[in-house]
Amino acid sequence: MKKSDFFYDLPEELIAQFPLENRDVSRLLKLNKTTGAVEHKHFYDIIDDLCENDCLILNNTKVLPARIYGERTDTNAVVEFLLLNRLSDNKWEALAGPGKKAKKGYTFTFSSGVMDGTITDVLENGNRVIEFSYEGDFYDTLEKIGQMPLPHYIKEELSDRSRYQTVYARELGSAAAPTAGFHFTTELLNKISEKGTKIAYVTLHVGIGTFRPVKEEFIENHKMHSEHYVMPKETADIINETKQKGGRVICVGTTSCRTVESVASRGEIKQAEGNTDIFIYPGYQFKCIDALITNFHLPESTLIMLVSAFAGYENTMNAYKTAVEERYRFFSFGDCMFIS
Protein backbone atom coordinates (compact mmCIF):
# COMPACT_ATOMS: atom_id res chain seq x y z
CA MET A 1 0.00 0.00 0.00
CA LYS A 2 1.07 3.57 -0.60
CA LYS A 3 1.31 6.34 1.96
CA SER A 4 -1.19 8.34 -0.11
CA ASP A 5 -3.80 5.62 0.48
CA PHE A 6 -4.09 6.94 4.04
CA PHE A 7 -4.65 10.59 3.17
CA TYR A 8 -7.91 12.33 4.02
CA ASP A 9 -9.02 15.97 3.83
CA LEU A 10 -9.24 17.64 7.23
CA PRO A 11 -10.35 21.26 7.68
CA GLU A 12 -7.86 23.00 9.94
CA GLU A 13 -10.61 24.22 12.27
CA LEU A 14 -11.33 20.60 13.29
CA ILE A 15 -7.88 20.23 14.87
CA ALA A 16 -8.58 20.55 18.61
CA GLN A 17 -6.42 23.27 20.17
CA PHE A 18 -7.39 22.69 23.78
CA PRO A 19 -8.90 19.91 25.92
CA LEU A 20 -12.57 19.99 26.86
CA GLU A 21 -13.24 21.08 30.44
CA ASN A 22 -14.72 17.66 31.28
CA ARG A 23 -12.65 14.81 29.90
CA ASP A 24 -15.43 12.26 29.46
CA VAL A 25 -17.90 14.44 27.54
CA SER A 26 -15.88 14.16 24.35
CA ARG A 27 -17.68 12.55 21.43
CA LEU A 28 -17.29 8.84 20.74
CA LEU A 29 -17.60 7.31 17.29
CA LYS A 30 -18.39 3.60 17.63
CA LEU A 31 -17.20 1.52 14.68
CA ASN A 32 -18.21 -2.09 14.12
CA LYS A 33 -15.20 -3.60 12.38
CA THR A 34 -17.24 -6.50 11.00
CA THR A 35 -20.01 -4.48 9.35
CA GLY A 36 -18.48 -0.99 9.14
CA ALA A 37 -21.54 0.45 10.90
CA VAL A 38 -21.03 3.72 12.78
CA GLU A 39 -22.82 5.11 15.86
CA HIS A 40 -22.37 8.49 17.55
CA LYS A 41 -22.12 8.60 21.36
CA HIS A 42 -20.28 10.42 24.14
CA PHE A 43 -17.27 8.97 25.89
CA TYR A 44 -19.09 8.47 29.18
CA ASP A 45 -21.30 5.99 27.28
CA ILE A 46 -18.29 3.66 26.94
CA ILE A 47 -19.32 1.90 30.15
CA ASP A 48 -22.41 0.53 28.34
CA ASP A 49 -20.14 -1.34 25.92
CA LEU A 50 -17.94 -2.95 28.59
CA CYS A 51 -18.71 -6.38 30.03
CA GLU A 52 -17.84 -8.10 33.28
CA ASN A 53 -15.28 -10.43 31.68
CA ASP A 54 -13.56 -7.69 29.64
CA CYS A 55 -10.30 -5.99 30.56
CA LEU A 56 -9.07 -2.50 29.70
CA ILE A 57 -5.34 -2.10 29.06
CA LEU A 58 -4.08 1.41 29.84
CA ASN A 59 -0.63 2.92 29.23
CA ASN A 60 0.47 4.58 32.48
CA THR A 61 3.45 6.45 31.06
CA LYS A 62 3.89 10.04 32.21
CA VAL A 63 5.01 12.86 29.93
CA LEU A 64 8.19 14.69 30.84
CA PRO A 65 8.25 18.50 30.58
CA ALA A 66 10.92 17.68 28.03
CA ARG A 67 11.18 20.94 26.06
CA ILE A 68 13.94 23.16 27.46
CA TYR A 69 15.69 26.26 26.14
CA GLY A 70 19.43 26.70 26.53
CA GLU A 71 21.58 29.79 26.06
CA ARG A 72 24.97 29.15 24.52
CA THR A 73 27.65 30.34 26.89
CA ASP A 74 29.85 31.91 24.20
CA THR A 75 27.30 33.70 21.99
CA ASN A 76 24.06 33.77 24.07
CA ALA A 77 22.29 32.11 21.11
CA VAL A 78 19.11 30.33 22.25
CA VAL A 79 18.64 26.68 21.24
CA GLU A 80 15.54 24.56 21.88
CA PHE A 81 16.15 21.01 23.11
CA LEU A 82 13.61 18.21 23.23
CA LEU A 83 14.75 15.40 25.52
CA LEU A 84 14.06 11.99 23.99
CA ASN A 85 15.94 9.28 25.80
CA ARG A 86 17.93 9.12 29.05
CA LEU A 87 21.23 7.39 28.23
CA SER A 88 22.74 7.56 31.74
CA ASP A 89 22.28 9.56 34.95
CA ASN A 90 23.35 12.85 33.36
CA LYS A 91 23.29 12.15 29.60
CA TRP A 92 20.28 12.48 27.28
CA GLU A 93 19.63 12.04 23.60
CA ALA A 94 17.83 15.16 22.39
CA LEU A 95 16.57 17.00 19.34
CA ALA A 96 18.18 20.43 19.00
CA GLY A 97 17.05 23.36 16.93
CA PRO A 98 18.58 25.17 15.23
CA GLY A 99 21.11 22.33 14.95
CA LYS A 100 23.91 24.49 13.54
CA LYS A 101 24.04 26.28 16.90
CA ALA A 102 24.42 23.01 18.85
CA LYS A 103 27.61 21.37 17.64
CA LYS A 104 29.80 18.94 19.56
CA GLY A 105 31.66 20.70 22.38
CA TYR A 106 29.26 23.64 22.67
CA THR A 107 28.08 24.44 26.20
CA PHE A 108 24.72 25.83 27.33
CA THR A 109 23.11 27.23 30.43
CA PHE A 110 19.42 26.70 31.23
CA SER A 111 17.28 29.12 33.24
CA SER A 112 20.27 31.30 34.13
CA GLY A 113 22.37 28.53 35.61
CA VAL A 114 19.74 26.27 37.18
CA MET A 115 21.25 23.61 34.90
CA ASP A 116 24.18 23.48 32.48
CA GLY A 117 24.81 21.20 29.53
CA THR A 118 27.51 20.21 27.04
CA ILE A 119 27.01 18.59 23.63
CA THR A 120 29.19 15.47 23.79
CA ASP A 121 28.16 13.85 20.50
CA VAL A 122 26.12 14.29 17.32
CA LEU A 123 24.45 11.04 16.26
CA GLU A 124 23.95 9.78 12.70
CA ASN A 125 20.26 10.74 12.81
CA GLY A 126 21.19 14.31 13.75
CA ASN A 127 20.13 14.00 17.38
CA ARG A 128 22.47 15.39 20.03
CA VAL A 129 23.87 13.76 23.15
CA ILE A 130 23.94 16.35 25.90
CA GLU A 131 25.52 15.91 29.34
CA PHE A 132 23.92 17.95 32.12
CA SER A 133 25.18 19.25 35.46
CA TYR A 134 22.73 20.37 38.14
CA GLU A 135 22.02 20.37 41.87
CA GLY A 136 19.68 17.78 43.39
CA ASP A 137 17.31 15.54 41.41
CA PHE A 138 17.20 15.83 37.60
CA TYR A 139 13.45 15.34 37.29
CA ASP A 140 12.76 17.94 40.01
CA THR A 141 14.97 20.37 38.09
CA LEU A 142 13.22 19.55 34.82
CA GLU A 143 9.85 20.16 36.46
CA LYS A 144 10.98 23.73 37.26
CA ILE A 145 12.47 24.68 33.91
CA GLY A 146 10.83 22.43 31.29
CA GLN A 147 7.74 22.86 29.15
CA MET A 148 5.31 20.22 27.94
CA PRO A 149 6.25 19.00 24.44
CA LEU A 150 2.91 19.68 22.78
CA PRO A 151 2.55 18.49 19.16
CA HIS A 152 3.37 20.99 16.41
CA TYR A 153 -0.28 21.30 15.34
CA ILE A 154 -1.35 22.71 18.74
CA LYS A 155 -0.80 26.47 18.56
CA GLU A 156 -2.58 27.44 21.80
CA GLU A 157 -0.71 27.60 25.11
CA LEU A 158 -1.74 25.01 27.69
CA SER A 159 -2.51 26.76 30.97
CA ASP A 160 -2.78 23.53 32.99
CA ARG A 161 -0.01 21.07 32.12
CA SER A 162 -1.86 18.23 33.87
CA ARG A 163 -4.30 18.25 30.93
CA TYR A 164 -1.53 16.80 28.76
CA GLN A 165 -1.42 13.79 31.09
CA THR A 166 -3.85 10.96 31.71
CA VAL A 167 -5.36 10.83 35.20
CA TYR A 168 -3.49 7.55 35.75
CA ALA A 169 -0.04 8.67 34.50
CA ARG A 170 2.62 7.24 36.83
CA GLU A 171 5.87 6.27 35.05
CA LEU A 172 7.96 9.24 33.88
CA GLY A 173 9.55 8.88 30.47
CA SER A 174 7.43 9.99 27.50
CA ALA A 175 8.07 12.75 24.99
CA ALA A 176 4.37 12.65 24.03
CA ALA A 177 1.15 11.58 25.72
CA PRO A 178 -0.90 8.43 25.06
CA THR A 179 -3.86 10.61 24.15
CA ALA A 180 -6.65 8.01 23.95
CA GLY A 181 -6.46 7.89 27.73
CA PHE A 182 -7.26 11.60 28.10
CA HIS A 183 -11.00 10.82 28.04
CA PHE A 184 -11.01 8.81 31.26
CA THR A 185 -11.78 10.40 34.61
CA THR A 186 -11.09 8.80 37.98
CA GLU A 187 -14.86 8.58 38.54
CA LEU A 188 -15.44 6.81 35.22
CA LEU A 189 -12.64 4.33 35.92
CA ASN A 190 -14.21 3.59 39.31
CA LYS A 191 -17.59 2.93 37.68
CA ILE A 192 -15.95 0.61 35.15
CA SER A 193 -14.27 -1.34 37.97
CA GLU A 194 -17.56 -1.57 39.88
CA LYS A 195 -19.17 -3.07 36.78
CA GLY A 196 -16.61 -5.89 36.94
CA THR A 197 -14.41 -4.92 34.01
CA LYS A 198 -10.76 -5.44 34.91
CA ILE A 199 -8.36 -2.52 34.52
CA ALA A 200 -4.68 -3.26 33.96
CA TYR A 201 -1.63 -1.19 33.05
CA VAL A 202 1.32 -1.44 30.72
CA THR A 203 4.02 1.16 30.16
CA LEU A 204 5.25 2.33 26.78
CA HIS A 205 7.29 5.52 26.77
CA VAL A 206 6.19 7.42 23.67
CA GLY A 207 9.08 8.75 21.59
CA ILE A 208 9.14 11.74 19.30
CA GLY A 209 9.01 9.31 16.39
CA THR A 210 5.26 9.24 16.94
CA PHE A 211 5.15 12.68 15.25
CA ARG A 212 7.57 11.86 12.44
CA PRO A 213 5.95 11.57 9.02
CA VAL A 214 6.17 8.48 6.85
CA LYS A 215 8.53 9.44 4.01
CA GLU A 216 8.55 6.21 2.03
CA GLU A 217 6.03 5.94 -0.82
CA PHE A 218 5.37 2.27 -0.05
CA ILE A 219 4.54 1.95 3.62
CA GLU A 220 6.25 -1.44 4.16
CA ASN A 221 9.58 0.35 3.55
CA HIS A 222 9.03 2.65 6.53
CA LYS A 223 11.35 2.04 9.49
CA MET A 224 9.48 2.41 12.78
CA HIS A 225 11.11 4.15 15.75
CA SER A 226 11.91 2.05 18.83
CA GLU A 227 10.24 2.65 22.20
CA HIS A 228 10.70 1.10 25.64
CA TYR A 229 7.85 -0.94 27.11
CA VAL A 230 6.99 -2.90 30.26
CA MET A 231 4.38 -5.67 30.56
CA PRO A 232 3.95 -6.35 34.31
CA LYS A 233 3.16 -9.89 35.50
CA GLU A 234 -0.15 -8.73 37.00
CA THR A 235 -1.29 -7.36 33.63
CA ALA A 236 -0.17 -10.47 31.75
CA ASP A 237 -2.15 -12.61 34.21
CA ILE A 238 -5.28 -10.46 33.76
CA ILE A 239 -5.02 -10.70 29.96
CA ASN A 240 -4.65 -14.48 30.09
CA GLU A 241 -7.56 -14.82 32.54
CA THR A 242 -9.71 -12.60 30.32
CA LYS A 243 -9.00 -14.77 27.30
CA GLN A 244 -9.75 -17.96 29.26
CA LYS A 245 -13.14 -16.57 30.35
CA GLY A 246 -14.08 -15.48 26.84
CA GLY A 247 -13.80 -11.77 27.59
CA ARG A 248 -12.29 -9.08 25.38
CA VAL A 249 -8.89 -7.45 25.68
CA ILE A 250 -9.60 -3.76 24.99
CA CYS A 251 -6.53 -1.61 24.43
CA VAL A 252 -6.75 2.09 25.18
CA GLY A 253 -4.62 3.75 22.54
CA THR A 254 -2.19 2.64 19.88
CA THR A 255 0.65 2.53 22.43
CA SER A 256 -1.14 -0.05 24.60
CA CYS A 257 -1.99 -1.98 21.44
CA ARG A 258 1.63 -2.00 20.25
CA THR A 259 2.83 -3.14 23.68
CA VAL A 260 0.37 -6.03 23.93
CA GLU A 261 0.94 -7.11 20.33
CA SER A 262 4.73 -6.88 20.73
CA VAL A 263 4.59 -9.30 23.66
CA ALA A 264 2.04 -11.55 21.94
CA SER A 265 4.22 -11.70 18.81
CA ARG A 266 6.95 -13.38 20.87
CA GLY A 267 4.62 -16.15 22.03
CA GLU A 268 2.58 -16.33 25.21
CA ILE A 269 1.50 -13.23 27.12
CA LYS A 270 3.84 -13.01 30.09
CA GLN A 271 5.86 -10.50 32.08
CA ALA A 272 8.24 -8.72 29.72
CA GLU A 273 10.34 -5.59 29.28
CA GLY A 274 12.26 -4.35 26.28
CA ASN A 275 12.19 -2.14 23.21
CA THR A 276 9.74 -2.47 20.34
CA ASP A 277 9.71 -1.12 16.81
CA ILE A 278 6.61 -3.06 15.78
CA PHE A 279 4.90 -1.45 12.78
CA ILE A 280 1.27 -2.47 12.40
CA TYR A 281 -0.37 -1.80 9.03
CA PRO A 282 -3.04 -3.55 6.90
CA GLY A 283 -2.24 -7.21 6.48
CA TYR A 284 -1.03 -7.59 10.07
CA GLN A 285 -2.65 -10.50 11.93
CA PHE A 286 -3.55 -9.42 15.47
CA LYS A 287 -2.48 -11.89 18.16
CA CYS A 288 -4.31 -10.64 21.24
CA ILE A 289 -6.43 -7.50 21.21
CA ASP A 290 -10.19 -7.62 20.58
CA ALA A 291 -11.20 -3.95 20.70
CA LEU A 292 -9.50 -0.57 20.53
CA ILE A 293 -10.18 2.90 21.94
CA THR A 294 -8.23 5.50 19.97
CA ASN A 295 -8.25 9.16 18.96
CA PHE A 296 -8.40 10.43 15.37
CA HIS A 297 -4.92 10.49 13.87
CA LEU A 298 -3.00 12.52 11.29
CA PRO A 299 -3.39 11.69 7.60
CA GLU A 300 -0.69 9.33 6.29
CA SER A 301 0.57 8.57 9.83
CA THR A 302 1.62 5.17 11.18
CA LEU A 303 -1.23 5.49 13.67
CA ILE A 304 -4.03 5.64 11.09
CA MET A 305 -2.31 2.68 9.42
CA LEU A 306 -2.55 0.71 12.68
CA VAL A 307 -6.24 1.59 13.00
CA SER A 308 -6.80 0.49 9.39
CA ALA A 309 -5.11 -2.83 10.14
CA PHE A 310 -7.47 -3.43 13.05
CA ALA A 311 -10.76 -2.04 11.75
CA GLY A 312 -10.22 -2.68 8.04
CA TYR A 313 -9.01 -0.10 5.52
CA GLU A 314 -12.38 0.77 3.97
CA ASN A 315 -14.12 0.87 7.37
CA THR A 316 -11.47 3.21 8.75
CA MET A 317 -11.40 5.66 5.86
CA ASN A 318 -15.21 5.76 5.75
CA ALA A 319 -15.35 6.38 9.52
CA TYR A 320 -12.86 9.25 9.20
CA LYS A 321 -14.88 10.75 6.34
CA THR A 322 -17.98 10.56 8.55
CA ALA A 323 -16.12 12.14 11.49
CA VAL A 324 -15.10 15.09 9.31
CA GLU A 325 -18.68 15.50 8.03
CA GLU A 326 -20.02 15.35 11.61
CA ARG A 327 -17.47 17.93 12.80
CA TYR A 328 -15.67 15.73 15.29
CA ARG A 329 -12.58 17.22 16.98
CA PHE A 330 -9.30 15.69 15.79
CA PHE A 331 -5.88 14.69 17.16
CA SER A 332 -4.46 14.86 20.69
CA PHE A 333 -7.15 16.96 22.40
CA GLY A 334 -9.91 15.72 20.13
CA ASP A 335 -12.67 13.10 20.20
CA CYS A 336 -12.21 9.36 19.89
CA MET A 337 -13.34 6.04 18.44
CA PHE A 338 -14.31 2.71 19.96
CA ILE A 339 -13.64 -0.08 17.49
CA SER A 340 -14.98 -3.56 18.24
mmCIF file of all heavy atoms in Angstrom, residues 59-78:
data_model
loop_
_atom_site.group_PDB
_atom_site.id
_atom_site.type_symbol
_atom_site.label_atom_id
_atom_site.label_comp_id
_atom_site.label_asym_id
_atom_site.label_seq_id
_atom_site.Cartn_x
_atom_site.Cartn_y
_atom_site.Cartn_z
ATOM 1 N N ASN A 59 -2.064 2.590 29.196
ATOM 2 C CA ASN A 59 -0.634 2.923 29.232
ATOM 3 C C ASN A 59 -0.414 4.009 30.285
ATOM 4 O O ASN A 59 -0.881 5.136 30.134
ATOM 5 C CB ASN A 59 -0.187 3.417 27.856
ATOM 6 C CG ASN A 59 1.302 3.757 27.808
ATOM 7 O OD1 ASN A 59 2.035 3.497 28.760
ATOM 8 N ND2 ASN A 59 1.744 4.321 26.706
ATOM 9 N N ASN A 60 0.306 3.655 31.355
ATOM 10 C CA ASN A 60 0.470 4.580 32.479
ATOM 11 C C ASN A 60 1.733 5.433 32.399
ATOM 12 O O ASN A 60 2.204 5.956 33.410
ATOM 13 C CB ASN A 60 0.422 3.821 33.811
ATOM 14 C CG ASN A 60 1.591 2.847 33.984
ATOM 15 O OD1 ASN A 60 2.475 2.762 33.124
ATOM 16 N ND2 ASN A 60 1.602 2.113 35.084
ATOM 17 N N THR A 61 2.290 5.573 31.199
ATOM 18 C CA THR A 61 3.449 6.447 31.055
ATOM 19 C C THR A 61 3.090 7.891 31.410
ATOM 20 O O THR A 61 1.932 8.299 31.294
ATOM 21 C CB THR A 61 4.010 6.395 29.622
ATOM 22 O OG1 THR A 61 5.274 7.081 29.585
ATOM 23 C CG2 THR A 61 3.065 7.032 28.623
ATOM 24 N N LYS A 62 4.085 8.639 31.844
ATOM 25 C CA LYS A 62 3.890 10.045 32.215
ATOM 26 C C LYS A 62 4.809 10.915 31.361
ATOM 27 O O LYS A 62 5.985 10.595 31.174
ATOM 28 C CB LYS A 62 4.197 10.246 33.707
ATOM 29 C CG LYS A 62 3.778 11.605 34.261
ATOM 30 C CD LYS A 62 3.917 11.641 35.771
ATOM 31 C CE LYS A 62 3.357 12.939 36.335
ATOM 32 N NZ LYS A 62 3.447 12.984 37.821
ATOM 33 N N VAL A 63 4.247 11.996 30.833
ATOM 34 C CA VAL A 63 5.011 12.862 29.934
ATOM 35 C C VAL A 63 5.969 13.741 30.727
ATOM 36 O O VAL A 63 5.595 14.357 31.728
ATOM 37 C CB VAL A 63 4.071 13.759 29.105
ATOM 38 C CG1 VAL A 63 4.862 14.568 28.078
ATOM 39 C CG2 VAL A 63 3.009 12.917 28.401
ATOM 40 N N LEU A 64 7.200 13.787 30.257
ATOM 41 C CA LEU A 64 8.186 14.693 30.837
ATOM 42 C C LEU A 64 7.974 16.111 30.304
ATOM 43 O O LEU A 64 7.621 16.280 29.136
ATOM 44 C CB LEU A 64 9.601 14.267 30.424
ATOM 45 C CG LEU A 64 10.138 12.949 30.954
ATOM 46 C CD1 LEU A 64 11.358 12.534 30.137
ATOM 47 C CD2 LEU A 64 10.518 13.094 32.418
ATOM 48 N N PRO A 65 8.202 17.137 31.130
ATOM 49 C CA PRO A 65 8.250 18.499 30.583
ATOM 50 C C PRO A 65 9.579 18.656 29.837
ATOM 51 O O PRO A 65 10.510 19.329 30.277
ATOM 52 C CB PRO A 65 8.169 19.386 31.836
ATOM 53 C CG PRO A 65 8.704 18.531 32.941
ATOM 54 C CD PRO A 65 8.389 17.104 32.585
ATOM 55 N N ALA A 66 9.642 18.000 28.671
ATOM 56 C CA ALA A 66 10.918 17.679 28.028
ATOM 57 C C ALA A 66 11.449 18.760 27.097
ATOM 58 O O ALA A 66 12.515 18.602 26.518
ATOM 59 C CB ALA A 66 10.765 16.367 27.249
ATOM 60 N N ARG A 67 10.702 19.859 26.930
ATOM 61 C CA ARG A 67 11.180 20.938 26.056
ATOM 62 C C ARG A 67 11.870 21.996 26.912
ATOM 63 O O ARG A 67 11.251 22.595 27.796
ATOM 64 C CB ARG A 67 10.007 21.534 25.278
ATOM 65 C CG ARG A 67 10.407 22.660 24.345
ATOM 66 C CD ARG A 67 9.275 23.046 23.398
ATOM 67 N NE ARG A 67 9.227 22.129 22.262
ATOM 68 C CZ ARG A 67 8.157 21.458 21.889
ATOM 69 N NH1 ARG A 67 7.028 21.568 22.585
ATOM 70 N NH2 ARG A 67 8.194 20.676 20.833
ATOM 71 N N ILE A 68 13.156 22.192 26.676
ATOM 72 C CA ILE A 68 13.935 23.160 27.461
ATOM 73 C C ILE A 68 14.713 24.067 26.506
ATOM 74 O O ILE A 68 15.038 23.685 25.380
ATOM 75 C CB ILE A 68 14.901 22.475 28.456
ATOM 76 C CG1 ILE A 68 15.835 21.503 27.729
ATOM 77 C CG2 ILE A 68 14.117 21.750 29.543
ATOM 78 C CD1 ILE A 68 16.869 20.851 28.634
ATOM 79 N N TYR A 69 14.998 25.273 26.966
ATOM 80 C CA TYR A 69 15.688 26.260 26.137
ATOM 81 C C TYR A 69 17.020 26.609 26.792
ATOM 82 O O TYR A 69 17.078 27.018 27.953
ATOM 83 C CB TYR A 69 14.828 27.511 25.960
ATOM 84 C CG TYR A 69 13.584 27.234 25.154
ATOM 85 C CD1 TYR A 69 12.412 26.791 25.772
ATOM 86 C CD2 TYR A 69 13.585 27.375 23.770
ATOM 87 C CE1 TYR A 69 11.271 26.509 25.027
ATOM 88 C CE2 TYR A 69 12.446 27.096 23.018
ATOM 89 C CZ TYR A 69 11.299 26.668 23.652
ATOM 90 O OH TYR A 69 10.174 26.380 22.919
ATOM 91 N N GLY A 70 18.094 26.413 26.023
ATOM 92 C CA GLY A 70 19.433 26.697 26.525
ATOM 93 C C GLY A 70 20.050 27.902 25.849
ATOM 94 O O GLY A 70 19.793 28.179 24.663
ATOM 95 N N GLU A 71 20.871 28.629 26.608
ATOM 96 C CA GLU A 71 21.575 29.794 26.060
ATOM 97 C C GLU A 71 23.051 29.433 25.928
ATOM 98 O O GLU A 71 23.680 29.005 26.913
ATOM 99 C CB GLU A 71 21.390 30.980 27.021
ATOM 100 C CG GLU A 71 21.803 32.309 26.446
ATOM 101 C CD GLU A 71 21.444 33.447 27.394
ATOM 102 O OE1 GLU A 71 20.239 33.757 27.511
ATOM 103 O OE2 GLU A 71 22.371 33.999 28.022
ATOM 104 N N ARG A 72 23.567 29.522 24.719
ATOM 105 C CA ARG A 72 24.966 29.148 24.515
ATOM 106 C C ARG A 72 25.880 30.090 25.282
ATOM 107 O O ARG A 72 25.678 31.319 25.257
ATOM 108 C CB ARG A 72 25.305 29.169 23.018
ATOM 109 C CG ARG A 72 26.019 27.908 22.589
ATOM 110 C CD ARG A 72 26.164 27.820 21.105
ATOM 111 N NE ARG A 72 27.272 28.624 20.610
ATOM 112 C CZ ARG A 72 27.552 28.794 19.330
ATOM 113 N NH1 ARG A 72 26.773 28.230 18.420
ATOM 114 N NH2 ARG A 72 28.565 29.521 18.948
ATOM 115 N N THR A 73 26.848 29.525 25.961
ATOM 116 C CA THR A 73 27.647 30.338 26.889
ATOM 117 C C THR A 73 28.593 31.298 26.176
ATOM 118 O O THR A 73 29.010 32.299 26.760
ATOM 119 C CB THR A 73 28.467 29.426 27.830
ATOM 120 O OG1 THR A 73 29.219 28.490 27.041
ATOM 121 C CG2 THR A 73 27.551 28.642 28.765
ATOM 122 N N ASP A 74 28.905 31.028 24.890
ATOM 123 C CA ASP A 74 29.849 31.912 24.197
ATOM 124 C C ASP A 74 29.153 33.002 23.378
ATOM 125 O O ASP A 74 29.693 34.104 23.227
ATOM 126 C CB ASP A 74 30.796 31.103 23.302
ATOM 127 C CG ASP A 74 30.058 30.255 22.272
ATOM 128 O OD1 ASP A 74 28.842 30.070 22.439
ATOM 129 O OD2 ASP A 74 30.706 29.788 21.309
ATOM 130 N N THR A 75 27.960 32.734 22.880
ATOM 131 C CA THR A 75 27.299 33.701 21.994
ATOM 132 C C THR A 75 25.933 34.161 22.494
ATOM 133 O O THR A 75 25.326 35.064 21.902
ATOM 134 C CB THR A 75 27.085 33.082 20.592
ATOM 135 O OG1 THR A 75 26.165 31.986 20.714
ATOM 136 C CG2 THR A 75 28.399 32.606 19.984
ATOM 137 N N ASN A 76 25.416 33.517 23.550
ATOM 138 C CA ASN A 76 24.063 33.772 24.074
ATOM 139 C C ASN A 76 22.961 33.352 23.096
ATOM 140 O O ASN A 76 21.782 33.694 23.310
ATOM 141 C CB ASN A 76 23.869 35.255 24.446
ATOM 142 C CG ASN A 76 24.790 35.688 25.565
ATOM 143 O OD1 ASN A 76 25.139 34.893 26.428
ATOM 144 N ND2 ASN A 76 25.211 36.952 25.541
ATOM 145 N N ALA A 77 23.302 32.618 22.041
ATOM 146 C CA ALA A 77 22.291 32.113 21.108
ATOM 147 C C ALA A 77 21.391 31.116 21.839
ATOM 148 O O ALA A 77 21.870 30.288 22.620
ATOM 149 C CB ALA A 77 22.963 31.435 19.916
ATOM 150 N N VAL A 78 20.085 31.194 21.589
ATOM 151 C CA VAL A 78 19.114 30.329 22.252
ATOM 152 C C VAL A 78 18.818 29.115 21.358
ATOM 153 O O VAL A 78 18.530 29.266 20.169
ATOM 154 C CB VAL A 78 17.813 31.084 22.570
ATOM 155 C CG1 VAL A 78 16.756 30.130 23.146
ATOM 156 C CG2 VAL A 78 18.094 32.219 23.551
#
